[in-house]
Amino acid sequence: MNTAGHSTAKAPRGLELTPFRGLRYDPDRVGSLAAVTSPPYDVVVRPDGLHHLQSADPHNIVRLILPEADTPEARNAQAADTLRRWRAEGILTADPAPCLYVYEQRDGKGLVQRGIIGALRVSDPDERLVLPHEDVMPHIVADRADLMRATSANLEPLLLTYRGEGDDGGDGSATVTAALIERAAEQRPLLATTTEDGFHHRLWSVTDPADLTAIQRELAGHQALIADGHHRWATYRRLRAEHPSPGPWDHGLVLLVDTARYPLRVRAIHRLLHDLPVADALASLDGLFRVRRLDAPLAEAMDALGEAASTGNAFLLAGDGVFHLVDRPDPDLLARTVPADRPAAWRTLDATVLHATLLDHVWRVPDSPAHIAYIHDTAATVEKAERDGGTAVLMHPVHEDVVRDLARQGVTMPRKSTSFGPKPASGLVLRALDL
């Protein structure tokens, strides 16, 4: 029986987080838990990263979230067959009772992030409960929807944030959910593993009815911001509309993190312009931006970008063996190219200026996968640009408060504007819709 939709708490129509029977790897049936995990599907740098993960263990989660075959239909059928086989063979087994999960990540350098994994009711945009801050690309939503339909599963959790001291400011006091998370973290975990990026992961189950009710009641008073997973949330909404309600498609797998207690890191997502050589990109900027060549290593160049971005729009171009700091755009150029019908905080975003001014107007590069790749790793973006003869556009991150403020105004940022983290590892807990 699927428990999603049968809440143990009579909560108001707010965030509704429901226990579920998690599907998890049997540690005795795989080489190691670390070897079967993966970053989220859109962080894996294909094909190098995909093949690396596939070779780590024959049961790595990428065989479900990024299946390989000649056609989309064959890929999705392969993922569905793989999931059925792994369940039948006991590679993946369901936990005995519905629960919420406390999830912890540590990086060994002082960063600790803890949150709650559960099945969240999929709400409509006009409810203002789950706030997006970026636009989505329809072809990616369609791709994820096809995969979820084929597998009838949520294969990896979205990352959502909320402010535990109260979305209206609150008094900053400790919350019931925070206390339950801290108490769980003192117990023996269901699993513990360290992935190759150095992060330590631990997972606990929360099954006590009183604890579940307390968490649900508290979360019912909050909004959530989508930190990572806009396309999967849009997919949840599409699939909910396609299926009868009530039913398992009314809910989707999420990780909720209280950023009042555990602030996330916000990093930029960089762009790789496939068909634009650096020399051509720079020539187009003459008289429109200030351009300075930096003969410096990547770390120093990124520091220079951060300093320039503190006073205005700035970008770092790479691909020809050196770095080029691009800043101080011509005000008249911005006035002509940046839409004026949005808040000032949106009009001055680096991502806004990049897309509205540079990509659309100066470079005339279409925002499509054939022309632009979005890459999280800075060094990988530079290496690919140098290898392929394109231009890497390195970005400086936006502060979380700016993102949340725009989202509450209903204003979405250009897609792939931010990368919140640490992101939950894929493969630690899945949600099969037939459980």
Side-chain angles (χ1 to χ4, degrees):
M1 174 182 172
N2 192 299
T3 59
H6 299 277
S7 174
T8 61
K10 298 295 184 180
R13 209 66 173 162
L15 291 178
E16 296 179 23
L17 194 66
T18 303
F20 70 104
R21 291 180 64 197
L23 196 61
R24 297 190 293 112
Y25 282 99
D26 181 342
D28 295 329
R29 301 296 304 276
V30 296
S32 73
L33 289 176
V36 295
T37 65
S38 163
Y41 79 98
D42 59 337
V43 181
V44 177
V45 179
R46 303 179 72 166
D48 299 348
L50 181 61
H51 295 158
H52 171 71
L53 291 163
Q54 288 174 337
S55 64
D57 189 285
H59 302 107
N60 190 283
I61 190 69
V62 293
R63 297 184 185 275
L64 300 180
I65 63 175
L66 290 172
E68 286 197 302
D70 292 336
T71 66
E73 294 78 13
R75 288 196 295 271
N76 295 327
Q78 181 185 92
D81 289 343
T82 300
L83 179 57
R84 280 192 293 269
R85 185 175 72 253
W86 288 357
R87 291 179 67 179
E89 295 173 354
I91 303 299
L92 289 167
T93 60
D95 283 328
C99 60
L100 298 177
Y101 296 87
V102 172
Y103 176 46
E104 176 191 87
Q105 294 162 277
R106 290 178 178 267
D107 70 352
K109 302 175 184 177
L111 184 146
V112 179
Q113 178 174 291
R114 292 175 180 150
I116 297 283
I117 294 176
L120 185 70
R121 179 178 70 87
V122 180
S123 54
D124 292 320
D126 58 9
E127 294 182 72
R128 306 290 297 151
L129 290 174
V130 176
L131 306 177
H133 68 269
E134 291 182 357
D135 296 327
V136 297
M137 293 176 258
H139 73 280
I140 296 180
V141 176
D143 174 74
R144 291 296 99 182
D146 289 342
L147 179 63
M148 286 190 206
R149 284 191 208 96
T151 58
S152 193
N154 301 151
L155 300 173
E156 46 186 348
L158 284 66
L159 175 59
L160 306 184
T161 73
Y162 70 102
R163 301 290 293 178
E165 82 279 12
D167 285 322
D168 58 353
D171 61 4
S173 59
T175 67
V176 172
T177 302
L180 286 168
I181 288 174
E182 299 307 311
R183 194 165 71 240
E186 296 174 355
Q187 309 302 313
R188 181 184 179 88
L190 291 175
L191 66 83
T193 190
T194 301
T195 45
E196 66 177 8
D197 59 5
F199 270 89
H200 310 287
H201 307 263
R202 295 196 295 171
L203 194 75
W204 299 263
S205 62
V206 179
T207 57
D208 181 84
D211 289 343
L212 295 173
T213 298
I215 292 171
Q216 290 171 313
R217 283 179 175 161
E218 188 165 85
L219 290 176
H222 293 279
Q223 287 177 318
L225 175 72
I226 302 176
D228 186 65
H230 284 81
H231 291 90
R232 283 166 285 166
W233 181 255
T235 300
Y236 289 169
R237 290 186 51 241
R238 175 180 292 192
L239 295 175
R240 187 201 62 175
E242 293 177 1
H243 292 83
S245 183
W249 296 99
D250 289 349
H251 293 72
L253 185 63
V254 305
L255 166 64
L256 272 166
V257 173
D258 174 6
T259 52
R261 193 169 186 86
Y262 298 107
L264 270 66
R265 295 183 312 204
V266 186
R267 291 179 172 172
I269 301 176
H270 310 297
R271 275 68 167 160
L272 174 60
L273 312 183
H274 297 301
D275 302 322
L276 181 66
V278 176
D280 293 349
L282 294 172
S284 303
L285 301 179
D286 188 35
L288 301 177
F289 286 76
R290 182 175 70 169
V291 180
R292 288 176 286 165
R293 175 182 169 128
L294 302 179
D295 290 298
L298 176 59
E300 289 183 23
M302 290 302 290
D303 287 342
L305 172 63
E307 184 176 346
S310 66
T311 58
N313 300 118
F315 312 93
L316 198 63
L317 305 191
D320 60 353
V322 296
F323 297 102
H324 307 272
L325 183 59
V326 175
D327 64 355
R328 296 189 183 178
D330 174 48
D332 291 337
L333 173 68
L334 298 183
R336 293 196 311 271
T337 57
V338 175
D341 60 346
R342 303 287 185 91
W346 181 89
R347 297 197 305 272
T348 56
L349 289 169
D350 287 338
T352 297
V353 172
L354 172 62
H355 283 261
T357 302
L358 285 170
L359 294 177
D360 293 350
H361 180 81
V362 177
W363 293 331
R364 300 190 182 279
V365 175
D367 190 1
S368 70
H371 297 89
I372 303 177
Y374 293 84
I375 304 176
H376 294 72
D377 185 86
T378 309
T381 311
V382 175
E383 290 165 7
K384 285 181 173 291
E386 293 179 345
R387 185 175 64 208
D388 302 339
T391 294
V393 182
L394 306 182
M395 311 281 288
H396 186 69
V398 182
H399 196 277
E400 181 188 352
D401 289 345
V402 174
V403 176
R404 190 178 297 275
D405 182 58
L406 286 171
R408 283 179 169 162
Q409 296 180 58
V411 178
T412 54
M413 300 166 66
R415 45 199 175 203
K416 299 295 183 181
S417 293
T418 58
S419 175
F420 283 88
K423 304 177 190 304
S426 298
L428 296 181
V429 61
L430 292 66
R431 176 177 174 251
L433 274 66
D434 62 348
L435 290 174

